[in-house]
Amino acid sequence: CASRSKPSGRMEIGRFLYGLCALFCLCRCFSAESTCKLKAKFNLNGYKDVEKKTVVVGGMFPVHKRIASTDGNTSRAPVSSGCEGFNFRTFRWTQTMLFAINEINERNDLLPDTDLGYVIYDSCFTISKAVEGTLTYLTGQDEAVPNYRCGTGAPLAALVGAGGSDLSIATARILGLYHFPQVSYFSTCSALESKFQFPTFLRTIPNDKHQSTAIAQLVLHFGWTWVGTIAADDDYGKYGIKDFKEQVEEAGVCISFSETLPKVSSPEDIQRIIETVVQSTAKIIVVFSSDVDLSPLIVELLQHNVTNRTWIASEAWVTSALINQPGVNSVLGGTLGFGVKRADIPGLQRHLLDLDPYADPLTEEFWETVFNCTLDYKTALKKAKQRAKEVNGTLSRMVPDGLCTGSESLAPLNNTYSDVSQLRITYSVYKAVYAVAHALHNLEHCVEGQGPFTGKSCANISNFQPWQLMYYLKNARFKVPNTNEEIYFEDGDVEGFYDIINWQVNGNGEISYVTVGHYNGSVATGDRMFIMNDSIVWNNEVLEPPRSVCSENCQPGTRKGIRQGEPVCCFDCIPCADGEISNTTDARECILCSGDYWSNDAHDACVAKIIEFLAFGEPLGITLIVISAFGALITIAVGGVFVVHISTPLVKANDPLLSFSLLLSLVVTFLCSIVFLGEPQKWSCMTSQVALALGFALCLSSIMGGCTVNRGKLDMLMLLLQILECHFIDLIIQAIACTVWLLVVPPHPIKNTSAQNIKIILECDEGSVIFICCIFAYDILLALLAFIFAFIARKLEDHFSEAKGLTFGMLVFFIVWISFVPAYLSTRGKFMVAVQIFAILASSFGLLTCIFLPKCYILLVKPERNTEEMMKPRAKPRDGTSTGTSASIATTATEVNASTASTAIDD
């Protein structure tokens, strides 16, 4: 029971005191009254071969799935729990370590003078058992004495293990206290990379930071933005999912749900997870868990027939036979996962099949489990008697049923234990043992005077310190037998290389593992992942990748509208407003089109606005030109008729000068409408409105000049009529006003972008609203006066009543322009111009028809009525009423006087 650490004093008295202490300790250990007592005795299973060995290598494997439950009785001394749930897969790992050690011992090129022994314990996939095994291993005997090495014999080299990350974290904390090397084959948790907490931890399996990155890249590769996660309730699951979440959330992926698998199977927790998976719309579920922890959930998924999900597997269960049970293809078919490097190990299968069932308790338990029998005759006999008693029979056979013969063959079973088609973790165990062997080889073959330690000294293979071997392990560099893979450690880790594995259903209806790509975390970021998309078979054997999004992508032309209280991946697609676009998928904001551009119908591009004006060449423009030209030609034709018949009474009676000025004004109004057509130019803007104003001014002043009344009836108006007969004064007033308008604020062409969003309307800006209102207000005043005079003059006593025609013409004029105002205000663009032209043409045709059609009818159709008699006033009725006339006042008065004189002479 001597202390492992000796005092460092150099004085003789120090050595003397140390000897006394050692002697005292030895005496106390053998004294009947000793107070050094074991607090507990551990219950450990495993393999041990240390006799006559040069160096002992430790190992720890989770051969069982869990520790056996206890009754919780505290009235008696506690007993270390046993284990249950034999795991064929991990038992293969254990046998692989034994195989590797035997293989190394038989080699002549590796540790030729050193015979390796081993001490291997079952951790039962439980932290407490892993700690028990670690303490026992360090003590060197079956009882654990903390901080003491009570055994003698070969030095301890390193511990290969301890299985899961949680187990390795627990053991690494203890081993780190003594600078004792630990090489893990299955612990991938990224927390173990901390050399401050775990200074002597190394592993031959990649760090989970590579795997988390690989899974994140896989999710991004297929465009999945809505993902569920399930993690084991241990450091492996928590750290793996944490690293994964950080990377995908930074890239815009949302986590639909995050569930934790219980370490101790809980039906309530499993049922809750099932409900979450079923209710979630996420089609992709990432699982960081061991196969042992995940197995209860898979069983429930099968019972609930939860399909149409794609599972992303971590390396801990991607090739696990515990998960890949018959019937799981409906649930797990199409699974994608990352597996560590695979290799073939020659001779391993023969070693696995050549087991002696009686060699040790673990192998015996394996044999009884795999063949469902017992190797103990007494046990078999007892069970046979019990069965006979239950059926009221007698035991007749000498060899009871259920007894193993020990000669059963493992080869035909083809179970997980003997399956060497997917040696991945097994290969990692193989590499871990060889890493320790190469470190020992380098330590043994150190050249004195060239060593790495103080004074360039070397360590002794028969008596070295753990920290000395740790140096060689950290610097080990070797090639694995048969595969030639080069192994070296960088801060205790190896390169992050994975095969991407797809679960596909083969012809037998069984799941097969198909490699569809690989990931190498040691190369440049863009070259890390290679995946053959066409080789993947997804869930339900479809070839297209599933979609897993909370909301479908917002297409160009829409923007994302975030839903309050929901993840950012859940959104509504809101169409961009008119004049705004989005030209990318999932745009957060719409872009406003500027200037002369507007959004297209799809709102995904800004296009030039439509340039609109009433062009000459379009059907409406051609129609208006034809009508305008027709009106002008008709007016000219009427003027020609008047010229031909200028000497006739009808033309003379209607004052030819006023008639021709009226016809001229109508030709001007007809033709000025054409100026409104075409793309507005500076000259056309200035000409159109001015020509219209002057044309109407001339027309209306001519109408007023043609309105005559009876002097006897309208003596009060005679003076005013005589003044207004000089109608050219009206035209001069209008011309002066238009000239001032053109000089001060002339009309000019503009681009109207506010009237219609999708169009640029080319139109004329009138320059000044005040000027144009004043000018056309003057025309309105003339029109009102003309109508009043025509209305009054309609009752003069002529056979031919021109005043009635003028009255009707002015009525048409007012009706047209009163209707024009609301029509003009309710239209936009080129149709405003069209409405204005229609008003001009309609009013012009109305005046032309009402004033000149009756005259032309008489001149051309009824020439017999074109006589002096017809132009004379009618006789007054006895009641003294008068009728309207069409002659001027002066002419009428002259004719009346002449008639009276002639009558007097005759009398």
Side-chain angles (χ1 to χ4, degrees):
C1 299
S3 173
R4 294 185 62 193
S5 57
K6 296 183 180 180
S8 59
R10 297 180 181 177
M11 298 178 64
E12 292 297 330
I13 188 172
R15 295 192 183 97
F16 177 72
L17 291 175
Y18 173 74
L20 287 178
C21 289
L23 181 61
F24 176 76
C25 179
L26 183 62
C27 293
R28 294 286 288 175
C29 285
F30 290 99
S31 172
E33 299 178 357
S34 173
T35 58
C36 296
K37 296 180 180 179
L38 290 175
K39 292 298 183 181
K41 184 175 177 62
F42 298 152
N43 181 14
L44 296 171
N45 289 321
Y47 297 92
K48 187 174 184 180
D49 183 9
V50 297
E51 296 297 329
K52 300 180 181 179
K53 301 297 182 182
T54 310
V55 179
V56 175
V57 180
M60 198 171 296
F61 297 87
V63 178
H64 289 85
K65 301 175 184 178
R66 56 191 170 271
I67 59 174
S69 59
T70 59
D71 57 7
N73 190 344
T74 59
S75 62
R76 62 172 180 264
V79 179
S80 178
S81 300
C83 300
E84 60 183 12
F86 201 91
N87 192 329
F88 294 150
R89 184 190 187 200
T90 53
F91 186 65
R92 186 211 309 145
W93 300 348
T94 308
Q95 292 299 320
T96 301
M97 180 173 177
L98 296 176
F99 168 78
I101 290 176
N102 292 336
E103 186 178 74
I104 293 169
N105 286 336
E106 293 175 0
R107 293 181 57 166
N108 296 323
D109 58 336
L110 183 63
L111 293 174
D113 302 323
T114 299
D115 197 15
L116 293 181
Y118 51 81
V119 175
I120 300 175
Y121 292 116
D122 177 13
S123 67
C124 300
F125 207 67
T126 308
I127 293 177
S128 61
K129 282 294 179 182
V131 171
E132 288 179 13
T134 303
L135 294 175
T136 303
Y137 176 62
L138 290 176
T139 301
Q141 59 185 27
D142 293 338
E143 293 83 9
V145 183
N147 207 35
Y148 282 90
R149 170 70 173 168
C150 295
T152 59
L156 305 179
L159 177 69
V160 176
S165 295
D166 265 11
L167 311 183
S168 287
I169 287 175
T171 57
R173 292 192 186 279
I174 298 173
L175 295 174
L177 296 175
Y178 305 103
H179 306 285
F180 198 95
Q182 177 180 356
V183 184
S184 178
Y185 52 86
F186 193 54
S187 303
T188 59
C189 180
S190 59
L192 285 163
E193 69 182 356
S194 172
K195 294 307 156 190
F196 177 77
Q197 298 185 68
F198 314 103
T200 60
F201 179 83
L202 305 96
R203 50 190 161 191
T204 54
I205 190 169
N207 188 333
D208 266 345
K209 68 180 182 182
H210 296 299
Q211 183 172 203
S212 297
T213 302
I215 296 178
Q217 288 195 15
L218 181 72
V219 168
L220 298 177
H221 173 79
F222 288 106
W224 298 321
T225 59
W226 190 234
V227 178
T229 63
I230 299 176
D233 190 15
D234 54 24
D235 290 316
Y236 170 71
K238 292 175 182 177
Y239 277 91
I241 286 296
K242 174 179 173 293
D243 293 342
F244 165 77
K245 283 183 179 179
E246 289 176 352
Q247 295 185 59
V248 295
E249 287 178 341
E250 186 177 348
V253 176
C254 296
I255 304 301
S256 172
F257 62 86
S258 293
E259 290 292 342
T260 301
L261 289 169
K263 293 298 288 184
V264 178
S265 182
S266 167
E268 294 79 12
D269 291 339
I270 295 298
Q271 188 60 37
R272 187 197 71 250
I273 297 173
I274 293 292
E275 293 176 358
T276 301
V277 171
V278 170
Q279 294 173 5
S280 173
T281 57
K283 303 300 181 184
I284 307 300
I285 303 175
V286 177
V287 181
F288 258 93
S289 170
S290 67
D291 54 355
V292 174
D293 292 333
L294 181 61
S295 180
L297 177 65
I298 300 301
V299 172
E300 288 298 316
L301 289 171
L302 285 170
Q303 291 182 358
H304 287 79
N305 194 29
V306 180
T307 59
N308 196 26
R309 303 291 192 278
T310 297
W311 300 81
I312 308 301
S314 63
E315 99 294 333
W317 68 274
V318 69
T319 56
S320 170
L322 185 63
I323 301 298
N324 185 8
Q325 295 292 325
V328 298
N329 55 337
S330 61
V331 174
L332 297 180
T335 293
L336 276 179
F338 291 84
V340 296
K341 281 185 177 180
R342 173 192 170 278
D344 294 324
I345 304 177
L348 177 61
Q349 188 171 37
R350 175 177 291 183
H351 171 83
L352 295 176
L353 298 177
D354 292 343
L355 285 185
D356 180 5
Y358 301 101
D360 54 80
L362 270 183
T363 308
E364 182 178 341
E365 183 182 357
F366 162 75
W367 201 273
E368 292 178 342
T369 304
V370 76
F371 291 110
N372 192 24
C373 61
T374 177
L375 290 167
D376 184 46
Y377 179 84
K378 292 181 179 180
T379 303
L381 184 61
K382 182 178 180 181
K383 290 182 178 179
K385 289 180 178 179
Q386 181 66 29
R387 285 195 299 270
K389 183 178 180 181
E390 290 175 356
V391 297
N392 295 323
T394 58
L395 185 63
S396 59
R397 298 184 59 185
M398 293 299 295
V399 180
D401 294 334
L403 180 66
C404 301
T405 63
S407 60
E408 292 86 356
S409 176
L410 293 170
L413 296 179
N414 192 27
N415 63 0
T416 305
Y417 168 74
S418 58
D419 182 10
V420 294
S421 62
Q422 293 289 329
L423 299 182
R424 297 182 184 275
I425 306 301
T426 302
Y427 179 50
S428 182
V429 174
Y430 189 71
K431 289 186 288 187
V433 176
Y434 265 90
V436 175
H438 277 276
L440 288 170
H441 181 85
N442 294 336
L443 183 148
E444 181 180 19
H445 291 82
C446 172
V447 178
E448 195 65 37
Q450 299 179 8
F453 308 119
T454 304
K456 296 185 178 181
S457 61
C458 296
N460 187 347
I461 188 67
S462 301
N463 185 22
F464 60 87
Q465 297 298 319
W467 60 267
Q468 292 175 317
L469 180 61
M470 185 64 200
Y471 169 84
Y472 287 102
L473 262 175
K474 288 195 302 183
N475 295 281
R477 195 179 191 101
F478 64 96
K479 288 186 177 180
V480 182
N482 307 309
T483 65
N484 284 326
E485 178 190 356
E486 188 173 26
I487 300 297
Y488 59 91
F489 298 101
E490 289 185 0
D491 294 327
D493 286 330
V494 294
E495 66 175 359
F497 185 91
Y498 300 90
D499 288 329
I500 302 176
I501 299 171
N502 182 215
W503 287 28
Q504 299 181 9
V505 181
N506 57 26
N508 299 325
E510 299 175 347
I511 293 291
S512 60
Y513 307 118
V514 179
T515 300
V516 295
H518 61 259
Y519 178 88
N520 189 349
S522 302
V523 299
T525 303
D527 302 326
R528 289 180 178 177
M529 179 175 288
F530 169 75
I531 186 167
M532 298 177 289
N533 295 342
D534 296 338
S535 300
I536 301 174
V537 177
W538 300 95
N539 189 265
N540 297 326
E541 298 188 4
V542 297
L543 300 179
E544 291 296 323
R547 286 186 58 77
S548 185
V549 295
C550 181
S551 300
E552 292 294 334
N553 293 335
C554 288
Q555 299 302 315
T558 62
R559 65 175 179 85
K560 294 168 65 173
I562 304 301
R563 299 175 185 169
Q564 293 295 329
E566 295 189 32
V568 294
C569 296
C570 302
F571 49 82
D572 296 316
C573 295
I574 302 173
C576 292
D578 291 337
E580 296 181 347
I581 67 161
S582 64
N583 51 14
T584 59
T585 302
D586 288 338
R588 295 188 177 275
E589 298 292 339
C590 294
I591 305 170
L592 180 65
C593 295
S594 59
D596 296 342
Y597 291 88
W598 192 252
S599 57
N600 59 0
D601 292 339
H603 292 274
D604 58 2
C606 288
V607 295
K609 290 183 178 180
I610 300 172
I611 304 297
E612 183 178 274
F613 59 89
L614 190 55
F616 293 104
E618 62 180 290
L620 180 58
I622 294 173
T623 302
L624 294 175
I625 291 174
V626 170
I627 296 173
S628 300
F630 177 75
L633 290 174
I634 292 296
T635 305
I636 293 172
V638 171
V641 171
F642 269 59
V643 171
V644 172
H645 299 84
I646 195 169
S647 61
T648 62
L650 179 61
V651 176
K652 289 181 179 180
N654 286 277
D655 197 338
L657 179 61
L658 291 176
S659 296
F660 286 122
S661 65
L662 180 57
L663 290 171
L664 176 64
S665 65
L666 290 175
V667 171
V668 172
T669 56
F670 275 121
L671 294 180
C672 77
S673 63
I674 299 177
V675 184
F676 285 88
L677 298 172
E679 182 177 349
Q681 304 291 334
K682 186 174 182 180
W683 67 269
S684 63
C685 290
M686 297 175 66
T687 303
S688 58
Q689 298 291 0
V690 171
L692 179 63
L694 292 176
F696 275 130
L698 178 60
C699 177
L700 295 170
S701 61
S702 298
I703 291 173
M704 285 190 299
C707 296
T708 57
V709 294
N710 189 294
R711 284 182 181 176
K713 294 286 183 178
L714 301 170
D715 290 336
M716 296 296 295
L717 296 175
M718 285 301 298
L719 181 60
L720 180 59
L721 288 173
Q722 290 175 356
I723 296 173
L724 292 178
E725 280 183 351
C726 300
H727 54 278
F728 286 105
I729 296 175
D730 304 333
L731 184 63
I732 292 172
I733 294 173
Q734 186 73 297
I736 293 172
C738 290
T739 302
V740 175
W741 178 28
L742 295 177
L743 292 176
V744 178
V745 279
H748 56 279
I750 61 169
K751 293 181 178 181
N752 186 347
T753 59
S754 60
Q756 292 189 9
N757 292 329
I758 63 173
K759 296 179 181 179
I760 297 177
I761 300 174
L762 300 183
E763 60 184 16
C764 292
D765 187 335
E766 309 307 338
S768 172
V769 177
I770 297 176
F771 267 103
I772 194 170
C773 288
C774 291
I775 288 170
F776 284 99
Y778 182 71
D779 284 342
I780 293 172
L781 176 63
L782 294 179
L784 288 172
L785 292 174
F787 174 73
I788 292 171
F789 294 150
F791 182 77
I792 295 173
R794 82 189 190 285
K795 294 186 178 181
L796 294 180
E797 298 149 351
D798 284 349
H799 288 284
F800 181 80
S801 180
E802 183 187 22
K804 289 182 180 180
L806 293 173
T807 302
F808 280 114
M810 291 309 301
L811 282 174
V812 171
F813 183 88
F814 277 114
I815 290 171
V816 169
W817 286 100
I818 290 173
S819 302
F820 160 77
V821 173
Y824 183 82
L825 296 177
S826 63
T827 56
R828 293 289 183 272
K830 63 182 180 181
F831 296 104
M832 295 181 68
V833 179
V835 168
Q836 189 172 6
I837 294 175
F838 274 121
I840 295 170
L841 296 177
S843 59
S844 299
F845 273 112
L847 293 173
L848 179 66
T849 302
C850 293
I851 296 174
F852 290 100
L853 182 61
K855 297 176 183 179
C856 291
Y857 176 77
I858 293 174
L859 291 174
L860 299 177
V861 181
K862 298 289 184 180
E864 66 273 11
R865 296 179 59 183
N866 189 5
T867 62
E868 292 289 344
E869 286 295 324
M870 295 301 296
M871 300 301 111
K872 290 180 181 180
R874 296 178 181 179
K876 295 181 180 181
R878 293 181 180 182
D879 58 3
T881 60
S882 61
T883 61
T885 182
S886 62
S888 65
I889 294 176
T891 305
T892 303
T894 302
E895 290 177 352
V896 171
N897 292 335
S899 179
T900 304
S902 175
T903 303
I905 294 172
D906 292 339
D907 289 341

